[in-house]
């Protein structure tokens, strides 16, 4: 099957702008406009990217918290309904919810409900992304899981908590995080970004700066993974990942959100050099 190209959509990305004096940066509107232009299959892939935020919202609501990330596919009332009876979520995520709702039921035989709900849900999410037909989503989700696992392992070690309780999924890197006592978990030669993460994680004086430096790793990785993707769904997903980062910083620190958006626009301007054959 040939990948569909979105020449007009990608060319139009640079038309978005932050207008702080009027309505501000609207990541939800950008997401909605982009998804409307995608094929059904590509739209499902994009929605899977955003299902990460659904997982965040499900974990928060199940824990009794009212916080809701609007970047998710599901509205607050839908999140509540999914916890009671999942019908909208991908089956792999719905299975986790049903297993924890009924630890003696059929799903619980396939899901390890002895682990935290959050660990099982995100584990199912990343496993689902790993099976995606999108090369970008597979690579991005593996990077994101690894980055979060290393960051969580560092925090667990600092707090004196078991690393295995902080990591999601399996694989060689997760096993290394769980068994290594080295300052870098013995991963310095395997993860190109590890030194930058260790430096950021060590900054406990300015937590906002720490988060910003870690998000810049995400930004750079999204750009790197899509270096040779110009008009296909992988290019669209890479753009959406960076839009989501802009959205986060527009809320946390408007000045930095604007800086990230300006950087995205500058990167997109480089596509003017690309000629459609």
């Amino acid at each position: 099957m040939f990948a569909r190209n979105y020449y007009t959509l990608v060319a139009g990305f640079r038309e978005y702008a932050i207008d702080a004096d009027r309505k501000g940066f609207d990541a939800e509107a950008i997401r909605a406009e982009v998804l409307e232009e995608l094929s059904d299959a590509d739209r499902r892939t994009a929605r899977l990217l955003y299902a990460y935020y659904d997982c965040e919202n499900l974990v928060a609501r199940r824990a009794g918290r009212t916080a809701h990330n609007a970047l998710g596919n599901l509205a607050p009332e839908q999140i509540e309904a999914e916890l009671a009876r999942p019908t909208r979520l991908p089956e792999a995520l719905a299975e986790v919810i049903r297993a924890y709702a009924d630890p003696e039921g059929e799903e619980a035989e396939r899901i390890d409900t002895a682990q935290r709900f959050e660990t099982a849900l995100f584990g199912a999410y990343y496993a689902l992304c790993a099976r995606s037909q999108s090369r970008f989503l597979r690579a991005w989700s593996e990077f994101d899981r690894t980055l979060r696992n290393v960051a969580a392992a560092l925090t667990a070690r600092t707090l004196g908590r078991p690393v295995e309780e902080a990591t999601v999924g399996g694989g060689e890197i997760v096993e290394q995080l769980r068994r290594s006592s080295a300052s870098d978990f013995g991963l310095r030669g395997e993860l190109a970004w590890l030194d930058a993460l260790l430096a950021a994680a060590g900054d406990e004086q300015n937590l906002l700066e720490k988060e910003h430096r870690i998000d810049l790793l995400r930004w750079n990785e999204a750009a790197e993974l899509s270096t040779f993707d110009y008009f296909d769904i992988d290019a669209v997903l890479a753009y959406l990942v960076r839009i989501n980062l802009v959205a986060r910083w527009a809320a946390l620190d408007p000045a930095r959100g604007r800086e990230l958006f300006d950087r995205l626009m500058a990167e997109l301007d480089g596509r003017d050099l690309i000629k459609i054959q």
Side-chain angles (χ1 to χ4, degrees), residues 61-230:
R61 186 58 56 91
R62 190 174 186 272
R65 301 192 298 271
T66 58
H68 181 85
N69 192 327
L71 288 175
N73 297 301
L74 304 177
E77 61 273 14
Q78 293 173 324
I79 289 292
E80 190 75 43
E82 290 299 292
L83 285 172
R85 183 172 177 271
T87 60
R88 299 171 181 267
L89 290 167
E91 178 57 25
L93 303 184
E95 188 177 56
V96 173
I97 292 175
R98 290 193 295 266
Y100 278 79
D102 182 11
E104 303 301 322
E106 182 178 342
E107 268 91 355
E109 297 179 4
R110 298 187 293 273
I111 304 293
D112 179 13
T113 55
Q115 61 185 327
R116 296 184 305 158
F117 173 75
E118 177 178 3
T119 301
L121 188 66
F122 279 106
Y125 170 76
Y126 284 119
L128 194 57
C129 290
R131 299 192 296 272
S132 172
Q133 292 186 352
S134 164
R135 178 199 56 78
F136 176 86
L137 186 55
R138 293 194 306 271
W140 168 257
S141 62
E142 179 61 21
F143 160 78
D144 189 58
R145 181 175 74 95
T146 301
L147 179 68
R148 292 179 187 278
N149 276 340
V150 176
L154 288 168
T155 299
R157 175 183 281 177
T158 299
L159 298 176
R161 296 175 180 173
V163 170
E164 56 268 23
E165 294 181 4
T167 52
V168 171
E172 294 182 5
I173 291 179
V174 169
E175 289 303 315
Q176 187 77 359
L177 291 173
R178 292 174 177 175
R179 68 172 180 260
S180 176
S181 59
S183 60
D184 64 351
F185 297 98
L187 294 171
R188 180 165 274 112
E190 297 186 43
L191 304 174
W193 42 262
L194 183 60
D195 284 337
L197 176 62
L198 291 173
D203 184 2
E204 296 297 337
Q205 300 302 313
N206 189 332
L207 295 181
L208 199 62
E209 177 63 24
K210 172 181 176 178
E211 288 296 312
H212 188 253
R213 291 166 70 182
I214 293 175
D215 272 352
L216 283 178
L217 293 177
R218 293 188 171 94
W219 182 284
N220 293 334
E221 185 70 13
E224 179 69 23
L225 289 174
S226 62
T227 299
F228 300 106
D229 297 308
Y230 301 124

Side-chain angles (χ1 to χ4, degrees), residues 16 18 25 208 211-220 239 241-268:
Y16 297 118
I18 298 175
F25 174 77
L208 199 62
E211 288 296 312
H212 188 253
R213 291 166 70 182
I214 293 175
D215 272 352
L216 283 178
L217 293 177
R218 293 188 171 94
W219 182 284
N220 293 334
Y239 175 75
V241 164
R242 287 175 287 172
I243 283 293
N244 296 342
L245 291 172
V246 175
R248 181 174 189 234
W249 286 97
L252 289 175
D253 186 331
R256 277 188 168 150
R258 181 178 292 277
E259 287 177 10
L260 283 180
F261 193 86
D262 289 344
R263 178 174 173 177
L264 178 54
M265 293 300 98
E267 291 175 3
L268 289 174

